[in-house]
Amino acid sequence: MSRFRGIWQASLNATKRALTWNVEDWIPPAEKYIFNFNSKEELKKWHLYSDSEYGGLSTASLEIKDDGNKSSGVFSGNLSLDVSEGTKWKISRSGFCGMRSKKFDGFIDLDAYDTVALRLKGDGRCYISTIYTENWVNSPGQLEDNSWQSFVFVPKDNWYIVKIPLDHYLPTWRGNVIDAKLEMNPSRILGMSLSVNAGGGVPGAKTGPGDFRVEIDWIKALRRE
């Protein structure tokens, strides 16, 4: 076979392969797992935080529950409004705990999706879903990631799938909503968290100090349109 004929045949074969590709090769799937709490290995992707880092007395834990048929994550603990005596921190509020994912290796790109979904079994409290993106909202000299938050209310004792459109997440700065019209960049996501406060939330949700518990099956990205 001549060199010209070989090049022509290779080009023809490549064209045939391109014409036989499936639509799935071009369009991302309609849903994508971000986290799946089906093994203890999942715990290595998260770390806990609470007001205890600043003199508060709230406590939290994260473990995997295995009932023999299926595993799920359990984020639980106790919210306290008390503050340790003699603490050096001048905190204005206590009564919060959270679980935050460790930073992804690079970024996770959710640009092809419009919704975050969480399958949860709650306790009647209101939780906060947070997405962390690369810092461009705050001044470049600050090291903190940008945070985008949305309330998550889960009815007590039943599994429930919460679906939050990405454009419902509000930009926040240290827990306070930024009063500006900003858009999240879903292609530069660094991590996520789920947290709970003793106060605030949606009407009808359980509030105040005391125990909390939420089971987590998975967190996914969805494309609904």
Side-chain angles (χ1 to χ4, degrees):
M1 181 183 294
S2 68
R3 180 180 178 187
F4 173 79
R5 185 180 179 124
I7 295 174
W8 176 84
Q9 187 64 51
S11 178
L12 179 62
N13 292 339
T15 302
K16 287 181 178 179
R17 287 195 300 271
L19 292 175
T20 57
W21 279 347
N22 295 322
V23 173
E24 289 78 8
D25 294 326
W26 295 87
I27 302 175
E31 61 179 46
K32 173 181 180 177
Y33 275 104
I34 304 174
F35 297 104
N36 192 359
F37 293 84
N38 57 3
S39 73
K40 291 185 178 180
E41 286 297 308
E42 189 69 19
L43 301 181
K44 297 178 181 179
K45 301 177 183 178
W46 298 84
H47 65 82
L48 298 168
Y49 63 90
S50 71
D51 56 41
S52 62
E53 300 173 26
Y54 308 100
L57 297 176
S58 298
T59 59
S61 67
L62 177 63
E63 58 187 2
I64 295 294
K65 172 186 174 183
D66 187 353
D67 62 7
N69 296 318
K70 186 173 178 58
S71 298
S72 60
V74 179
F75 173 48
S76 62
N78 182 270
L79 298 172
S80 173
L81 301 180
D82 297 327
V83 178
S84 300
E85 292 185 12
T87 178
K88 65 177 182 179
W89 301 99
K90 296 181 180 180
I91 59 173
S92 59
R93 60 178 179 174
S94 61
F96 65 88
C97 294
M99 50 179 281
R100 177 170 176 170
S101 69
K102 297 176 182 178
K103 283 193 176 184
F104 300 122
D105 185 13
F107 303 96
I108 183 170
D109 185 355
L110 299 184
D111 198 37
Y113 303 90
D114 54 42
T115 301
V116 167
L118 306 90
R119 187 170 188 264
L120 308 170
K121 182 192 285 188
D123 55 1
R125 287 187 181 272
C126 188
Y127 291 78
I128 300 172
S129 171
T130 304
I131 294 175
Y132 300 96
T133 59
E134 185 181 33
N135 186 332
W136 63 271
V137 173
N138 305 319
S139 63
Q142 295 172 342
L143 299 178
E144 294 184 42
D145 306 326
N146 294 150
S147 58
W148 310 78
Q149 297 185 319
S150 177
F151 284 127
V152 176
F153 172 67
V154 188
K156 186 178 180 181
D157 296 333
N158 290 308
W159 283 105
Y160 185 75
I161 297 177
V162 181
K163 297 179 181 179
I164 312 169
L166 289 177
D167 58 10
H168 285 198
Y169 281 84
L170 299 177
T172 62
W173 169 246
R174 297 186 179 180
N176 297 308
V177 175
I178 298 175
D179 187 15
K181 195 170 183 179
L182 302 169
E183 291 186 7
M184 180 195 304
N185 182 355
S187 67
R188 309 285 283 184
I189 292 176
L190 296 167
M192 296 183 172
S193 73
L194 188 68
S195 58
V196 59
N197 294 332
V202 299
K206 178 182 177 182
T207 60
D211 293 339
F212 69 89
R213 176 188 171 91
V214 61
E215 290 187 48
I216 313 163
D217 188 0
W218 45 252
I219 301 174
K220 294 180 180 178
L222 306 178
R223 185 175 64 256
R224 301 194 298 172
E225 299 180 357

